[in-house]
């Protein structure tokens, strides 16, 4: 389902949030771009770094992707933000 959705519209975002007791004060970074198929070197690097992934990373329905970054938005905390 995930790759079917990406085939229809490759735009995606990923938000990374620093844990904080007050959600409005938490620093966060949103990366935006297009998800595109990665080359075979990514699969090899994945298996090298995580040998336990070798069992499933070579399945026929597994394909690595990467986010081709177009923009980033950073929020340092409440009221502090910028592109």
């Amino acid at each position: 389902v995930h790759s079917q959705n990406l085939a229809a519209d490759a735009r995606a975002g990923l938000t990374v949030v620093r844990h904080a007791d007050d959600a409005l004060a938490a620093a966060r970074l949103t990366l935006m771009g297009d998800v595109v198929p990665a080359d075979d070197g990514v699969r090899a690097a994945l298996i090298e770094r995580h040998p336990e992934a070798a069992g499933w990373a070579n399945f026929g329905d597994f394909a690595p992707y990467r986010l081709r970054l177009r923009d980033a938005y950073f929020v340092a905390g409440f009221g502090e933000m910028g592109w």
Side-chain angles (χ1 to χ4, degrees):
V1 171
H2 300 94
S3 57
Q4 291 172 1
N5 291 340
L6 289 171
D9 186 349
R11 294 176 300 169
L14 173 68
T15 300
V16 181
V17 180
R18 180 176 182 191
H19 175 74
D21 291 331
D22 180 358
L24 290 177
R28 51 205 176 269
L29 174 67
T30 300
L31 305 171
M32 293 159 276
D34 298 311
V35 176
V36 297
D39 60 38
D40 287 334
V42 172
R43 183 189 316 264
L46 171 72
I47 294 171
E48 182 178 329
R49 183 165 176 121
H50 302 282
E52 69 279 8
W56 51 263
N58 290 316
F59 286 170
D61 65 347
F62 176 82
Y65 287 82
R66 66 183 183 89
L67 180 65
R68 183 181 297 145
L69 191 61
R70 282 205 266 168
D71 218 335
Y73 189 70
F74 179 67
V75 177
F78 185 74
E80 298 179 54
M81 60 206 72
W83 292 97

